[in-house]
Amino acid sequence: MKAVACMDDVLAIERRGLPVDLPTSTYEMICRGAAIDPSAPALSFFATADDYRNAERWTYGELVHDITRTANMFARLGVQHDSVIAYVLPNLPETHFVIWGGEAAGIVCAINPLLEAEAIGELLNASGVSVLVTLAPFAGTDLWQKVQAVLHKVPSLNDLVLVNLADRMPGEERFAVRMLQRLRSAVPSQIRIHDFSTAIAYEPGAALGRTRRPGIDDVSSCFCTGGTTGLPKIAMRQHGNEVANAWNAGVFLGESIGPGKTIFCGLPLFHVNAVMVTGLLAFSRGAHVVLGTPQGYRGEGVVKRFWEIVEHYRVNFFSGVPTLYGSLLDVPVGDCDISSLEYGLCGAAPMPVELLRTFQDRTGIRILEGYGLTEGSCVSSINPPLGEHRPGSIGFRLPGQAMKAVVVDETGRYVRDCVVDEVGQLVISGPNVFVGYTRPEQNSGIWMELADGGRWLNTGDLGRCDADGYFWLTGRKKELIIRGGHNIDPAAIEETLHRHPAVQIVAAVGRPDMHAGELPVAYVQLKPGTTATEAELGEFLRHEINERAALPKGIRIIDAMPLTGVGKIFKPALKRRETVDAIRSALVEAGVEGATVNLNEDTSRGISAHVELPSTLHEGLATSALGRFSFAFSVSVAASPESNVDGAAAIEVPTRSR
């Protein structure tokens, strides 16, 4: 099956429709992928980058066997189809067993292991967890300490299943029974404790036993979204959503993912991209997944030795965020043979066009930019593997993924579809779209009724569609700050700073960053008669915010917050200030002095920057520096000292003198 090359290919696939025998669950979908060749490699795992040549390996027959044993273990613990199994785990083979075995038995809930204890406890309670799978105590990891600290706050939890990293230590005898006895006093008495390896060893792996077979309309998973901090927002997806998304992405990408192909997984398995693109999609088509270290791309030496890993495993495909591609640019390919690589997928945050072009020119690897959201299972659009790739675009919508830009009124109600290249609210509809959030009040306003009478999901993103069917993002109506692919809710920073006795008004915005995409910055207006320094406020936040990524890179104390005519904080003014300052800082760092920076707001293209240089001497340096940002830009050279450049001047916000 050939991959998509143009929009006509997408339409042709849609005319054929979904197959009548589409799998009814993710478990069945993986079993069908395994049946292509049960002896083929399915999953490889290496614990450290230095030891990447010595990986554990599972064939497809062995993978399904261990997933089945895990599902049967959960059923023995009393898991029903509506029971929640939460996992707080790094990237391990057992994580995949828990995800897919958990979905076969009940509902899995993914929780970021990098969160602090309090945030983990909030999500466990919000999910209504009955079984929790996490790491046993192990030297060099703090996950057990964080989880153990909140167990007494989760009354719904009945069973604690521990994955023991010591099982993988060479020359070290297993001590599961002794470890569980030692932990008994540290765990509330009503919670039963189990060793994962021991528990599944007693289960049959040939077929599902006592567990009820999941159906297409059963809830399969819950993923945290809307930012990793703040009020828990958990999206519920059905088996049918995940199966449809994996199938649609598979026919879009064609033979590039299938038997004989190798996929590298370095993104964290609490994120839908890793779970769906380098998990279910690959397994459903009989491809080989290489899982690199428990920390993925963050693992020591993984990026440094990435090209060696590609050569050794003959990797054909990998998925990452813009910051990964930026880091890989600093690693010379050298003598490594990376000819097996067909392309890399980039999502989670906008990819700077200059970074994309530089990476492709230097490595010869094609990057396919895509777009998706947890609420849409994962992938909604991708640049075509075989057709024209338009840098800056998020590509064509997947087959079966209805997607359009629409005009809405001031209340958010649908008015009409946008015409070609007109910016509007992006909405999606299709079998991959989730059923809603666990908190009923969070579902208010997310659905939109269009002229066709169908139910469409308001993505919160602004975009346009060109005449050839390529979609382009032009902004985010929702105010999430995306730092290296991590979603940060500004409210988490703002609500925390509001608790400081000297703070009157707070606004958190994203500052453009060449490496992380965005960094959170907080603006603060103090109460009259009070004093506080930026350092004091920063120290206050360090004790109050559970997510390290959400800690602001800077705190700006200002005399007066910019407000709209009705008294609302005017965040665009602050965002523009940070954007101008980030550009100036990047130019100075590149050796470009004396530049004038202006921002322009284009209704069809979003924010763009114009930089005027005093001479042609540093034009190349300026272009290179600006190209690392995700917004459009232009560069000119001043004709004379009196010359003036059209465009909106940067908005200055008065800073309190200190």
Side-chain angles (χ1 to χ4, degrees):
M1 182 192 305
K2 285 190 175 181
V4 163
C6 61
M7 192 61 201
D8 285 343
D9 292 341
V10 174
L11 298 176
I13 294 169
E14 288 182 331
R15 284 193 293 270
R16 294 197 296 269
L18 290 170
V20 294
D21 63 341
L22 197 68
T24 58
S25 70
T26 56
Y27 177 80
E28 183 184 346
M29 196 172 206
I30 293 173
C31 288
R32 289 196 194 180
I36 297 172
D37 183 358
S39 64
L43 180 65
S44 292
F45 169 75
F46 56 86
T48 67
D50 290 339
D51 202 33
Y52 70 84
R53 293 181 179 85
N54 301 312
E56 297 177 74
R57 179 171 291 191
W58 282 256
T59 65
Y60 264 99
E62 292 166 339
L63 174 68
V64 170
H65 184 265
D66 280 344
I67 290 173
T68 304
R69 290 199 303 170
T70 303
N72 288 332
M73 180 264 291
F74 287 138
R76 181 172 53 80
L77 296 183
V79 167
Q80 305 293 321
H81 75 281
D82 56 353
S83 302
V84 175
I85 305 158
Y87 65 93
V88 191
L89 291 168
N91 284 13
L92 297 168
E94 290 87 348
T95 312
H96 271 300
F97 306 157
V98 169
I99 294 169
W100 309 117
E103 289 197 4
I107 303 168
V108 296
C109 180
I111 296 179
N112 180 355
L114 300 178
L115 292 173
E116 299 301 332
E118 184 179 346
I120 290 173
E122 289 177 358
L123 291 172
L124 290 173
N125 270 318
S127 68
V129 60
S130 62
V131 178
L132 170 62
V133 188
T134 191
L135 288 185
F138 189 76
T141 69
D142 65 349
L143 186 52
W144 166 252
Q145 288 85 344
K146 292 192 295 184
V147 171
Q148 188 273 331
V150 297
L151 290 177
H152 67 285
K153 299 180 180 180
V154 189
S156 63
L157 185 60
N158 299 319
D159 292 275
L160 179 65
V161 182
L162 299 176
V163 176
N164 195 347
L165 291 179
D167 292 347
R168 289 192 162 82
M169 297 301 291
E172 186 169 330
E173 295 182 3
R174 295 190 56 210
F175 56 101
V177 174
R178 188 169 74 249
M179 179 199 68
L180 295 184
Q181 290 173 342
R182 189 173 69 248
L183 295 180
R184 181 65 271 176
S185 61
V187 176
S189 58
Q190 73 275 15
I191 300 175
R192 296 175 294 185
I193 312 175
H194 317 270
D195 174 72
F196 180 85
S197 297
T198 303
I200 68 168
Y202 294 104
E203 302 296 337
L208 295 178
R210 291 169 287 181
T211 185
R212 166 184 174 273
R213 303 299 188 273
I216 200 164
D217 294 325
D218 285 324
V219 176
S220 55
S221 65
C222 291
F223 280 83
C224 306
T225 184
T228 54
T229 56
L231 187 66
K233 195 173 186 180
I234 302 175
M236 298 183 293
R237 296 114 60 86
Q238 297 173 321
H239 281 273
N241 301 146
E242 296 183 341
V243 167
N245 199 229
W247 189 87
N248 288 332
V251 294
F252 190 99
L253 296 171
E255 296 172 349
S256 56
I257 296 183
K261 300 292 186 176
T262 300
I263 318 299
F264 183 80
C265 174
L267 293 175
L269 283 169
F270 63 81
H271 193 278
V272 292
N273 190 305
V275 171
M276 293 293 295
V277 176
T278 51
L280 183 61
L281 170 59
F283 293 146
S284 71
R285 297 174 67 84
H288 176 203
V289 175
V290 176
L291 199 59
T293 82
Q295 294 77 35
Y297 292 124
R298 294 172 178 266
E300 184 178 356
V302 172
V303 170
K304 181 181 178 182
R305 309 194 74 161
F306 186 73
W307 305 124
E308 298 174 47
I309 294 167
V310 167
E311 179 181 42
H312 178 77
Y313 288 99
R314 305 303 296 157
V315 173
N316 305 105
F317 171 90
F318 66 98
S319 186
V321 296
T323 50
L324 169 70
Y325 291 96
S327 298
L328 288 175
L329 273 178
D330 297 328
V331 182
V333 175
D335 296 330
C336 294
D337 178 7
I338 62 171
S339 59
S340 61
L341 273 176
E342 298 173 34
Y343 51 81
L345 183 68
C346 183
M351 178 77 163
V353 173
E354 189 66 21
L355 172 60
L356 183 148
R357 288 174 174 155
T358 302
F359 187 89
Q360 292 185 157
D361 290 345
R362 193 173 298 178
T363 65
I365 301 166
R366 192 176 194 184
I367 299 175
L368 303 182
E369 294 168 275
Y371 168 78
L373 55 164
T374 302
E375 294 87 342
S377 293
C378 184
V379 187
S380 288
S381 68
I382 319 177
N383 268 271
L386 300 181
E388 179 188 357
H389 178 207
R390 298 185 179 177
S393 164
I394 55 173
F396 300 134
R397 61 179 179 81
L398 292 188
Q401 173 67 100
M403 181 171 169
K404 63 174 73 176
V406 300
V407 175
V408 299
D409 63 19
E410 63 277 3
T411 67
R413 291 183 179 178
Y414 170 81
V415 176
R416 60 173 174 82
D417 290 0
C418 290
V419 298
V420 170
D421 272 335
E422 181 182 13
V423 173
Q425 195 75 41
L426 282 184
V427 296
I428 62 173
S429 179
N432 58 299
V433 178
F434 82 145
V435 293
Y437 301 113
T438 55
R439 291 174 179 261
E441 66 273 16
Q442 293 173 336
N443 294 310
S444 176
I446 66 171
W447 305 109
M448 189 179 294
E449 187 172 331
L450 273 56
D452 61 4
R455 190 172 80 153
W456 292 71
L457 175 70
N458 183 348
T459 67
D461 292 312
L462 300 175
R464 61 185 175 89
C465 184
D466 67 23
D468 298 314
Y470 288 83
F471 279 89
W472 305 75
L473 289 181
T474 59
R476 292 194 310 277
K477 194 168 184 179
K478 53 190 178 185
E479 295 179 345
L480 288 183
I481 300 166
I482 302 181
R483 180 178 187 172
H486 289 271
N487 293 341
I488 300 166
D489 187 348
I493 301 171
E494 294 163 353
E495 291 169 4
T496 303
L497 274 173
H498 270 299
R499 295 200 293 268
H500 191 282
V503 171
Q504 184 175 51
I505 304 176
V506 185
V509 297
R511 174 186 174 91
D513 183 78
M514 294 188 294
H515 306 289
E518 286 184 314
L519 294 172
V521 172
Y523 281 81
V524 175
Q525 179 180 321
L526 299 178
K527 294 176 181 176
T530 65
T531 59
T533 66
E534 294 167 357
E536 288 170 353
L537 295 176
E539 185 64 22
F540 175 79
L541 282 178
R542 273 188 286 276
H543 292 288
E544 297 292 326
I545 287 184
N546 294 318
E547 171 68 12
R548 296 186 188 96
L551 287 171
K553 188 67 176 178
I555 297 176
R556 328 285 194 214
I557 298 178
I558 57 178
D559 288 321
M561 196 72 71
L563 303 175
T564 66
V566 294
K568 292 183 178 180
I569 296 175
F570 189 57
K571 284 190 176 183
L574 305 176
K575 179 76 173 181
R576 289 172 68 88
R577 172 180 173 169
E578 289 301 322
T579 301
V580 169
D581 188 65
I583 293 171
R584 287 175 177 158
S585 298
L587 291 172
V588 170
E589 187 178 340
V592 181
E593 301 280 355
T596 300
V597 179
N598 290 275
L599 294 184
N600 298 288
E601 193 80 38
D602 188 311
T603 56
S604 66
R605 298 295 188 273
I607 289 179
S608 62
H610 180 78
V611 173
E612 186 180 86
L613 303 175
S615 72
T616 60
L617 186 62
H618 296 129
E619 195 169 356
L621 291 175
T623 300
S624 178
L626 290 167
R628 300 299 295 274
F629 293 102
S630 61
F631 44 74
F633 68 90
S634 59
V635 176
S636 66
V637 178
S640 68
E642 292 78 24
S643 64
N644 192 21
V645 179
D646 291 336
I651 296 177
E652 297 297 336
V653 180
T655 302
R656 181 188 293 267
S657 59
R658 290 179 296 280

